[in-house]
Amino acid sequence: LNLSYEGAGIEFTDRGDIPKNNSKTQLQLLLPGYEEILSFPAKIVWAKKPGENTINPSITMGLHFRDIDLYTHKCLCGFIWGNQA
């Protein structure tokens, strides 16, 4: 997971069809240090399935967050600010 203020890059195990670009989704995350799952409405910006002879059979996908509520935005900012190197 590569998380930013505006979106995320995620990687997950191939479990079927690749999501379509520009489709809508909900990303749900339980951030370390938080007790509740946060929900991020998002648009899929890009998605890529690996080639046939790839060692790592995972799908990678870029998400752009859309219309995040104020509480979720504050939690996201607090997590990012608290974990900067």
Side-chain angles (χ1 to χ4, degrees):
L1 174 67
N2 183 352
L3 190 61
S4 76
Y5 299 109
E6 295 182 352
I10 63 174
E11 181 176 324
F12 54 95
T13 303
D14 184 0
R15 300 251 186 233
D17 293 333
I18 190 167
K20 294 189 185 309
N21 287 349
N22 296 315
S23 60
K24 294 178 183 176
T25 191
Q26 285 288 113
L27 176 65
Q28 294 186 327
L29 294 174
L30 179 57
L31 297 173
Y34 291 82
E35 293 185 11
E36 64 183 275
I37 294 172
L38 300 174
S39 185
F40 298 86
K43 178 176 82 169
I44 297 172
V45 180
W46 56 265
K48 185 176 97 173
K49 198 169 188 171
E52 291 285 323
N53 298 320
T54 304
I55 295 172
N56 184 1
S58 61
I59 292 174
T60 53
M61 182 167 58
L63 303 175
H64 182 251
F65 298 147
R66 303 170 51 91
D67 304 321
I68 299 173
D69 64 76
L70 185 57
Y71 174 76
T72 302
H73 187 263
K74 285 181 178 181
C75 290
L76 175 63
C77 290
F79 175 76
I80 291 173
W81 292 337
N83 290 287
Q84 291 182 357

